[in-house]
Amino acid sequence: MGNPGGVWRRRLRLAGAGLAALAAAALLFGAGAVTAAAGLRHFLQQFHADLDRIVSPDGIDEARYVEIGGVRQWITVRGQDRSKPILLFLHGGPGGALSDIAYEFARPWEDYFVVVQWDQRGYGRSNVDADKIRGTTTKERYIADAIELADYLRKRFDRPKIVLVGQSWGTLLGTEVAHRRPDMLYALVSIGQLTGWESSYEEIRRLLLDLGKRTGDRALADKMTKAGPVPVGPKAGPFLAAMDPVWEEMNRRGYSWHAVTGSDDPIGELFDAAAFTSPTIDDRRFLSLLRGGSGNDYYATLHPTLSGWSLERDVGTRMAVPYVLIMGRFDWQTPIPLARQYYEEVCAPYKAYVELPNAAHVAMLEQPGLVTVALVEKVLPAVSGNVPAGAETCAAAAAPGGST
């Protein structure tokens, strides 16, 4: 779950700052400065390419388009052993495509799984086929795309099931897929569980308002009072306008990335830095990103279909697949109080809760070791039909369909 409006404002700032810096370097120091900067970027890219290279004779490393829902969508498939379980990662956002910067967090997973990164319809490298995409970016279409891709992976790799891992916005897709097609999944993992659309955002505002009152920070309390309540309805504009000041304060205070305070967009800055050193973003694509890429208005179509969505009402609390919830203790972006409350109500073949003590919403980068351990210890047992130590079980989850 992110700030769709803020993404494009940040990219415009990045484009302006990047192009201005290049122009200033050329004027002050000549073309040599630009060449040196490009040389540094290429050096760092090669370092990451060497570090991430799949060298196992049993490994797999692919990147290509597949047709999903009638349009081209980009996937990467990587693992040290192609016989390992398939893990499909559903990125956050909406629009936070990660295939080009997955080297920052997914490499350890590739020792245990065949990891599939997917740039969702209209974003990242899937921002192609614009004429076909326009008007199709709805909640139901994204869910259908996820189901179609999961089925494609099962058939292509001849597997009965896969592991589904969603992060932030991806947890909405993940829970919906698990609700509708539990037969396809060994387990569902949610990292930063989204429990409602406007309701989750309103909880962020409430937490910040309470923080301002408890600490005597009148400016914060007044700002949160003025910002809300978060409007419910089909129009994206009023929603984004209400949320902008809330996101700013949440980010600045370390409730998005706990170790980073003072920035109004720490995750965006991470994306920019990771793109600069990404081994898969060539100079032409990087310059396109600097200029702001090829923008779109897909969120305007998506928001009306998300308004009012509730995890408990629309998905339910009974799951027919094992459910693993990973939360940063300081995560207010997908507020931990709501996620923990939902988890307590879930009935599943087994469920496991993992809380990261020094993380907020960027869990995969804040405490990557603990996330990897959770995937190995709490998720891999589901592939072989076992229940991991410490997991909770619920016999009622065996009912057909697995939904309330």
Side-chain angles (χ1 to χ4, degrees):
M1 186 171 80
N3 180 346
V7 167
W8 293 110
R9 282 189 290 276
R10 173 180 59 77
R11 287 183 176 175
L12 289 173
R13 291 198 303 268
L14 170 67
L19 293 174
L22 289 174
L27 287 172
L28 293 174
F29 305 108
V34 177
T35 302
L40 173 61
R41 169 173 144 76
H42 298 158
F43 172 80
L44 294 172
Q45 285 183 290
Q46 189 59 54
F47 170 78
H48 286 296
D50 292 341
L51 188 65
D52 289 358
R53 186 169 291 112
I54 300 289
V55 296
S56 166
D58 300 318
I60 183 170
D61 185 0
E62 298 180 356
R64 61 194 181 93
Y65 284 104
V66 295
E67 185 170 304
I68 303 169
V71 300
R72 289 175 294 164
Q73 302 197 39
W74 183 258
I75 64 169
T76 66
V77 184
R78 285 175 50 91
Q80 296 289 349
D81 185 345
R82 63 176 61 234
S83 70
K84 297 290 187 182
I86 305 296
L87 184 157
L88 173 57
F89 182 76
L90 308 176
H91 66 68
L98 291 178
S99 65
D100 278 316
I101 65 170
Y103 71 93
E104 290 278 4
F105 65 88
R107 189 172 186 275
W109 304 0
E110 295 164 5
D111 289 329
Y112 301 95
F113 301 90
V114 173
V115 180
V116 180
Q117 302 285 342
W118 165 41
D119 287 9
Q120 296 163 21
R121 170 183 298 254
Y123 295 102
R125 291 182 183 268
S126 295
N127 190 17
V128 292
D129 296 340
D131 290 341
K132 294 181 179 179
I133 291 174
R134 192 169 293 111
T136 71
T137 52
T138 66
K139 173 174 64 71
E140 288 301 318
R141 183 66 261 174
Y142 280 107
I143 295 168
D145 283 354
I147 291 173
E148 186 175 336
L149 177 55
D151 200 38
Y152 162 82
L153 294 170
R154 289 196 309 152
K155 292 174 180 176
R156 185 192 161 190
F157 290 97
D158 193 24
R159 308 293 174 82
K161 299 180 181 182
I162 68 169
V163 172
L164 200 59
V165 179
Q167 194 271 333
S168 196
W169 146 257
T171 67
L172 182 155
L173 300 182
T175 51
E176 287 279 6
V177 172
H179 171 61
R180 301 176 190 210
R181 291 297 306 273
D183 58 296
M184 302 173 67
L185 306 181
Y186 284 120
L188 169 68
V189 182
S190 287
I191 305 175
Q193 180 68 65
L194 179 63
T195 57
W197 198 241
E198 291 94 349
S199 60
S200 286
Y201 288 114
E202 177 61 19
E203 176 70 359
I204 305 171
R205 190 186 73 90
R206 188 197 67 77
L207 289 167
L208 288 166
L209 178 61
D210 179 66
L211 177 66
K213 291 178 178 179
R214 285 189 291 106
T215 61
D217 188 337
R218 179 173 292 182
L220 175 62
D222 289 347
K223 189 173 183 178
M224 293 302 100
T225 299
K226 184 179 179 180
V230 177
V232 177
K235 294 184 178 180
F239 171 77
L240 294 173
M243 283 311 303
D244 268 350
V246 178
W247 270 306
E248 288 176 3
E249 295 299 332
M250 175 193 69
N251 288 334
R252 288 179 53 242
R253 295 165 189 275
Y255 293 110
S256 177
W257 188 338
H258 188 55
V260 180
T261 57
S263 169
D264 65 357
D265 189 13
I267 298 179
E269 292 165 6
L270 162 70
F271 273 53
D272 299 338
F276 181 78
T277 59
S278 169
T280 58
I281 297 180
D282 61 21
D283 288 346
R284 182 177 180 180
R285 181 167 174 77
F286 184 69
L287 288 173
S288 174
L289 292 174
L290 273 183
R291 292 191 298 267
S294 52
N296 59 60
D297 60 354
Y298 297 146
Y299 183 74
T301 303
L302 177 59
H303 177 82
T305 69
L306 294 172
S307 183
W309 181 84
S310 162
L311 177 59
E312 186 167 353
R313 184 191 66 244
D314 294 322
V315 173
T317 57
R318 183 175 295 173
M319 292 191 182
V321 300
Y323 174 59
V324 177
L325 174 61
I326 302 175
M327 295 294 300
R329 182 172 296 170
F330 300 94
D331 185 354
W332 285 7
Q333 192 159 337
T334 45
I336 188 171
L338 298 183
R340 186 62 196 259
Q341 179 182 340
Y342 175 76
Y343 173 83
E344 295 297 339
E345 297 172 357
V346 166
C347 173
Y350 77 73
K351 65 180 181 178
Y353 177 74
V354 178
E355 188 169 297
L356 310 181
N358 301 307
H361 191 61
V362 197
M364 300 171 302
L365 288 162
E366 294 177 283
Q367 296 200 267
L370 292 183
V371 172
T372 302
V373 168
L375 292 176
V376 173
E377 294 186 349
K378 304 300 184 183
V379 179
L380 274 182
V383 177
S384 53
N386 296 319
V387 177
E392 305 171 66
T393 60
C394 178
S403 60
T404 53

